[in-house]
Every structure is written in C-alpha cells, then in structure tokens.
Amino acid sequence: MKLLRGRLLDFRDMPQSADDTAALTYIEDGALLLDGGRIVAAGAFDDIDARGAEVIDHRPHLLMAGFIDTHNHFPQMQVIGSYGAQLLDWLNTYTFPEEMKFVDPDHAARIATAYFDEMLRNGTTTPVAYCSVHPSSVEAYFTEAARRNIRAIGGKVLMDRNAPGGLLDTAQSGYDDSRALIEKWHGRGRAHYAITPRFAITSTPAQLEAAQALVAENPDCYMQTHLSENRDEIAYTMELYPEHSDYLGIYEHYGLLGQKALLGHSIHLSERERGVMRDTGSVAVFCPTSNLFIGSGLFDEGGMRREGVRIALATDIGGGTSYSMLRTMDEAYKVCQLQGQNLPPPLAFYMLTLGNARALGLEAEIGTLIAGSEADVVVLDARATPAMALRMETATTLAEELFVLQTLGDDRSVKQTYVAGEAML
Ligand code: GUN
Ligand code: ZN
C-alpha cells in the first residue's frame, strides 16, 4: 500500500465556467491510498487511515488523474518537426518513408520503448495510438504497454492504396491481421484494440467494407480514422468517392460511426456532418499543435461543444509538435482565442482527464481519483522552472495556477507519474 500526500484536484463533471467549483473537488492537504493498482481511498490526509502504508509526500505539488492522449502515431516519433509541408506532401515526403521502417520488429521495439518513456515523462498514462501497417508494430506497442501495465489503446493501420508498396496491405490481409491482433490483444490486461482505417484516401471501398465487418464483429473495439483535416485532402477524398456528398458520409456509409468512433481533426465540417457526428455519438478529436504545425485549420471547439458533439483532445504526434498534454492545451487555448472562443483552465484540465476518459467511455476506470479508479496519477509542479516560479508569485487562485501550468508547463512540470500504483519516473 502507498499513500500519496499532496494537493488533490479531481473532476466530477465538465466545468461550465472558470469559477464552476461544483464540477471539481480540490483538497489542499489531500491524500490517495493506493493498493492493488487501484485508488482505494481519496480525501483529506487527516481522514485517511494510512496504517501500514508507505507515505510519499508530494506536497506542495498537485495530484491529478493521469493524462489521456486520444490520438497519436507511435511510428512517427522521428517525424516530429519535419519542415515545410502540408498534409498530403507531409505524409508522402516524411511520414510514409518513416513508417516503412516498422517492418523491422527490432526498430518497432526500440521506438515503442522510447514512446512509452516519453508518454510517462509527460504525465500521459493512457495513449491511443495508430501503429504502422505492419502487425509487428502492434505487437511492439502492446508488448511494451503490458510490460509497464499501461492502459493503452492502439491498432494496425489499414491502408491498401495511395502509399508506397511497402506500406500497403489488402482488404483481406488487413482484415485477417486486424482480427488476429484483436483476438490476441483486445481485453488482455489493460489493452484495447482500435480498428484503424487510416483515412478514406488510403483505403479502397473494399477495405472500408472490411473495416465495416471488423467494427460489426467487434463492437467493444474502438474505431479510429482521420476526417476533414485539410482542404486538399477533402478534395482528393471526394474525387476518390464521388458517389458520396461529403467526407463523413463515406465513413457513415461503411458503418464506422458511433460511440466508439474517434475521428481525428474534424476541422472543416458541414452542418450536416456535425449533425451526424452528434447523432451518432462519434468523437471529434482536437489536435491543436498538429493543426497549427501542418497548417490545417482551426478546430471549432466552442461551436461543436454547443451543438453537442463529443470532443476529445490529443497530441497527434508526429504531426503534432509536443508529447505534452499541457503544451497541447496551451495551443488549444490559442486556437480558441483566434476564433473568439474561450477555454477556461478548469475545462482544460477536465479535458485532459475525465473529459478524455468519457470520450473513450473509460470514466469508470481512468480519468478520476475517485476510490475504485485505477491508480494512474500525475504529480504536477507549477513552479518547475524559474519563469514559472516567478509567475506563480503573482498567482492567487487555483484557476490561475492551472493556467500557468498550461501556458508555461511541459514535461519539466511532471514530478512523478504513477501507473496502476507504481512510480514510473
Ligand atoms: N491523415 C492520414 N494519416 C495521417 C497522419 O499520419 N497524420 C495526420 N496528421 N493526418 C493524417
Ligand atoms: Zn493522426
């Protein structure tokens, strides 16, 4: 048993404003009792019976639920910071050549180790990853996650056209490989499988039919793909699928939408498409550092939320430029600012934790510090750098502290990350 002592911040619901304190629990001298990989008690330090527990004092730092990154590409760690291209050129010039390397299981294993190291250094305890087309990349991903007991979601990309030969499967082989990977990994320990047609451009209609079958046969699995990220991508997609009137209509036609559908980017959507997103409960995944870096556009966070579309937040490594969900939130704030929208700090930290857990339907397991939850916890220091410490001299409220963390914070603010009750740093 371990007892973590610190300032507890936990969300109960989505904060409606900067000072909506009903949505969160904050305890200045709080504690979490961890046992068997779970949080068994949470509350004021004085109220928790710590007999027999190892006490780890994290004061004055904040204890929050571990962060959740709902969309990234594990084979793109060496693509980050590739210069001067927008989406389709970026994929062809940098990304596809890099993903070819994952045919080599040793390379995949090495990058999987680096990937989970980096996630944990940044306080992310649950990632949702696209692996490469090669089943060996999925093996590497889930093997490394299991070794550290991380709740991880991922899947092999399905792609059978418009990419180099070394990156293509077929409708049949993609189906067979996905099925075998689902059987092996989905529900094993803390692993979840995501059926992953990369996007409509790299899948033939036959492959989307195969993805439809996989989704229908495995309703517990996630489905992840990309949607309406870039204007040229949309135009090319509509050329390839002329019988559909809009981009989302393609995924809709092939039965890919629903509560388990994670649609990366979802930037340039029509009213009809937003209505379908809402009505099907599909999740729009906001990837701000990527959208700015690749020059894709501004995600309409305020508008989609108002219309009742489910929203998640993600890094989109390696189109994204930071592994840190704090840096990601900083860029999300700026994307909202450019559209005259606001994103209050409590809402931001809700999104990184309970909000993303709800988007994945995993709020009973992760995303909160409630007793019974899995013990995935991040320890945050808002004075981690000289500049942050100086700024914190003038911060008087919790909301201000959170805003300093999201504006100036990064991996240096993460003092410890616990996964299923074990310290990882
Ligand atoms: N669309 C299809 N594949 C990708 C990818 O790897 N990254 C991004 N940002 N968009 C995509
Ligand atoms: Zn992506």
Side-chain angles (χ1 to χ4, degrees):
M1 267 197 312
K2 286 189 187 76
L3 186 89
L4 313 185
R5 185 173 186 181
R7 296 162 57 227
L8 282 196
L9 176 60
D10 194 23
F11 293 91
R12 294 285 173 268
D13 210 341
M14 187 176 86
Q16 301 295 329
S17 67
D19 44 26
D20 179 1
T21 49
L24 56 85
T25 299
Y26 173 67
I27 305 175
E28 184 72 27
D29 187 5
L32 298 172
L33 190 62
L34 315 183
D35 195 22
R38 290 191 180 266
I39 296 169
V40 294
F45 175 75
D46 285 341
D47 294 342
I48 293 184
D49 181 358
R51 275 173 297 182
E54 172 197 2
V55 178
I56 304 164
D57 194 346
H58 284 299
R59 288 176 302 168
H61 303 323
L62 281 168
L63 304 178
M64 291 183 56
F67 298 149
I68 300 166
D69 179 356
T70 54
H71 177 128
N72 61 60
H73 299 258
F74 124 74
Q76 294 179 14
M77 291 189 81
Q78 294 181 304
V79 174
I80 300 172
S82 292
Y83 178 76
Q86 298 219 340
L87 180 63
L88 299 179
D89 288 338
W90 177 84
L91 285 169
N92 288 319
T93 310
Y94 300 115
T95 305
F96 290 161
E98 186 62 31
E99 292 194 10
M100 303 251 258
K101 297 179 188 164
F102 286 75
V103 69
D104 172 6
D106 291 339
H107 179 71
R110 172 175 168 243
I111 300 296
T113 302
Y115 172 89
F116 285 104
D117 283 349
E118 205 55 43
M119 287 290 148
L120 297 173
R121 282 191 341 94
N122 283 280
T124 296
T125 49
T126 291
V128 182
Y130 288 60
C131 302
S132 72
V133 74
H134 317 96
S136 54
S137 73
V138 183
E139 292 290 333
Y141 176 79
F142 281 127
T143 300
E144 188 59 25
R147 196 174 69 74
R148 306 184 201 209
N149 202 13
I150 290 172
R151 187 168 284 286
I153 300 168
K156 166 204 136 54
V157 290
L158 299 164
M159 45 198 298
D160 68 346
R161 66 169 164 181
N162 292 320
L167 276 190
L168 297 180
D169 53 13
T170 66
Q172 188 64 47
S173 74
Y175 173 88
D176 293 343
D177 287 343
S178 300
R179 209 175 124 164
L181 289 164
I182 290 167
E183 269 166 29
K184 174 160 181 194
W185 288 107
H186 184 67
R188 176 164 163 181
R190 302 183 80 194
H192 305 255
Y193 196 84
I195 297 156
T196 309
R198 183 176 203 124
F199 64 162
I201 288 176
T202 47
S203 285
T204 59
Q207 181 157 70
L208 292 187
E209 268 176 32
Q212 175 170 27
L214 287 167
V215 167
E217 291 157 11
N218 301 280
D220 288 350
C221 289
Y222 294 93
M223 192 294 302
Q224 59 179 349
T225 188
H226 295 87
L227 172 70
S228 291
E229 177 177 3
N230 162 292
R231 299 273 182 204
D232 292 343
E233 170 212 11
I234 297 168
Y236 187 25
T237 302
M238 299 323 295
E239 272 176 42
L240 291 171
Y241 285 90
E243 63 282 25
H244 298 280
S245 60
D246 56 40
Y247 195 160
L248 188 65
I250 301 167
Y251 300 145
E252 189 184 4
H253 175 80
Y254 289 100
L256 301 180
L257 304 183
Q259 302 273 337
K260 292 257 174 184
L262 307 171
L263 296 157
H265 307 295
S266 299
I267 298 173
H268 310 283
L269 299 182
S270 67
E271 250 179 65
R272 191 202 83 85
E273 291 174 296
R274 285 155 69 128
V276 172
M277 293 285 290
R278 181 196 54 229
D279 294 346
T280 56
S282 303
V283 178
V285 185
F286 181 15
C287 305
T289 73
S290 169
N291 297 161
L292 295 173
F293 183 74
I294 312 185
S296 301
L298 303 177
F299 181 90
D300 182 12
E301 204 272 342
M304 303 249 260
R305 198 178 286 289
R306 215 174 26 251
E307 290 169 27
V309 178
R310 297 171 72 213
I311 294 172
L313 186 78
T315 63
D316 191 32
I317 291 300
T321 50
S322 175
Y323 292 91
S324 168
M325 291 302 286
L326 298 173
R327 304 294 336 115
T328 301
M329 208 65 246
D330 183 40
E331 302 289 290
Y333 176 80
K334 295 171 191 171
V335 168
C336 290
Q337 280 281 61
L338 283 168
Q339 299 173 95
Q341 302 172 357
N342 58 27
L343 191 59
L347 176 59
F349 281 81
Y350 161 84
M351 288 175 79
L352 306 187
T353 55
L354 179 58
N356 273 352
R358 283 178 168 173
L360 299 174
L362 289 176
E363 64 273 23
E365 284 84 19
I366 56 173
T368 77
L369 303 177
I370 296 169
S373 268
E374 295 173 348
D376 292 349
V377 180
V378 61
V379 181
L380 293 174
D381 178 6
R383 296 176 181 78
T385 68
M388 293 177 82
L390 196 65
R391 175 62 181 85
M392 279 298 291
E393 287 177 14
T394 65
T396 56
T397 65
L398 176 65
E400 279 180 276
E401 179 178 357
L402 293 178
F403 202 53
V404 168
L405 269 169
Q406 87 176 53
T407 307
L408 295 171
D410 53 29
D411 52 313
R412 292 169 295 182
S413 301
V414 175
K415 292 294 147 188
Q416 186 54 274
T417 303
Y418 291 90
V419 169
E422 298 298 325
M424 290 285 137
L425 303 182

